Amino acid sequence: EPEVTQTPSHQVTQMGQEVILRCVPISNHLYFYWYRQILGQKVEFLVSFYNNEISEKSEIFDDQFSVERPDGSNFTLKIRSTKLEDSAMYFCASSALQETQYFGPGTRLLVL
Amino acid sequence: GESVGLHLPTLSVQEGDNSIINCAYSNSASDYFIWYKQESGKGPQFIIDIRSNMDKRQGQRVTVLLNKTVKHLSLQIAATQPGDSAVYFCAAGYRSNDYKLSFGAGTTVTVRA
């Protein structure tokens, strides 16, 4: 069964450093999403991406965040200058028809 | 915006019994609802979804009920098994915002042997 994959599974970085989180969505999907989950809290929407552009973003997704689909398979989330409060699980999701979103296993980001 | 909340943060159920997890949403524009299961250290796993033009949908051992009048949905798990122990999230979305999902806080289900 096809699934969303994410790398790395864990990332530790120093405050102020740039990180890139990578995702490979399910191959025939067209809609891509990033969510995050701070420890013990709800899963929160960050951004949706369709047709090579951002279609929706939350107030969390400020100028420090960017997304890219550099080739036909990868979907990346970049945080330019990480802050302590960026520590969270980051989930990538994809969907074929804009409804059922399938989530990856997540990247646990720890900012020190 | 959408606010989604779960009624109980924890649920303990005897193996073999049925489980019911309840969820409320606030935005009457929400037209798509989905339940996810999350095991420790893993991402949310799709269980079942329902559109607002339906009030019930059944899957394998699971049933989702939607009551749009009171903005409430529930997930019923039949014959709960130890492998059902996890955190369960409901989420809501609507077409005009690309179905970005608003998640509830999660109910931790523990199955007693």
Side-chain angles (χ1 to χ4, degrees):
Chain A
E1 186 176 315
E3 57 185 22
V4 177
T5 59
Q6 290 184 243
T7 54
S9 58
H10 295 78
Q11 174 94 46
V12 181
T13 190
Q14 295 291 323
M15 189 171 56
Q17 294 296 303
E18 174 183 287
V19 295
I20 297 176
L21 310 183
R22 303 180 194 278
C23 169
V24 179
I26 294 173
S27 63
N28 62 343
H29 285 187
L30 300 175
Y31 299 87
F32 313 112
Y33 307 83
W34 282 101
Y35 291 82
R36 79 172 186 190
Q37 185 178 29
I38 294 172
L39 187 64
Q41 298 186 21
K42 296 182 182 184
V43 176
E44 301 173 288
F45 169 81
L46 292 178
V47 66
S48 58
F49 190 87
Y50 169 71
N51 202 26
N52 284 319
E53 61 181 25
I54 291 173
S55 49
E56 183 90 20
K57 61 182 180 179
S58 72
E59 58 275 10
I60 301 168
F61 195 88
D62 62 22
D63 292 344
Q64 293 301 312
F65 291 86
S66 62
V67 289
E68 194 177 36
R69 189 156 162 80
D71 53 42
S73 59
N74 290 285
F75 179 51
T76 63
L77 174 70
K78 182 193 291 187
I79 310 175
R80 261 180 274 283
S81 178
T82 49
K83 303 186 286 286
L84 296 176
E85 55 265 37
D86 293 328
S87 295
M89 280 288 285
Y90 287 81
F91 294 109
C92 172
S94 70
S95 67
L97 295 172
Q98 219 181 0
E99 289 183 346
T100 307
Q101 294 175 32
Y102 294 91
F103 281 70
T107 293
R108 183 174 296 282
L109 176 65
L110 178 60
V111 182
L112 301 176
Chain B
E2 171 69 271
S3 173
V4 179
L6 282 146
H7 291 188
L8 286 174
T10 61
L11 176 68
S12 178
V13 60
Q14 187 69 38
E15 182 179 357
D17 286 353
N18 297 334
S19 304
I20 299 176
I21 307 167
N22 295 301
C23 183
Y25 63 96
S26 64
N27 191 343
S28 56
S30 293
D31 56 14
Y32 176 70
F33 307 90
I34 189 165
W35 282 97
Y36 287 97
K37 170 186 180 183
Q38 187 177 29
E39 295 172 288
S40 181
K42 297 184 178 179
Q45 177 188 352
F46 170 78
I47 301 173
I48 192 168
D49 56 4
I50 188 168
R51 297 180 189 172
S52 59
N53 61 350
M54 304 170 68
D55 53 22
K56 180 179 180 179
R57 191 167 187 216
Q58 288 183 290
Q60 188 178 14
R61 282 201 306 117
V62 293
T63 301
V64 55
L65 299 177
L66 175 63
N67 185 331
K68 294 181 289 294
T69 303
V70 295
K71 300 191 187 69
H72 178 273
L73 69 158
S74 66
L75 176 71
Q76 301 177 4
I77 306 173
T80 313
Q81 302 169 358
D84 295 327
S85 293
V87 180
Y88 289 80
F89 295 95
C90 64
Y94 50 99
R95 178 179 292 277
S96 60
N97 75 342
D98 284 349
Y99 291 109
K100 73 172 187 183
L101 296 176
S102 296
F103 278 77
T107 290
T108 301
V109 173
T110 303
V111 180
R112 305 187 307 270

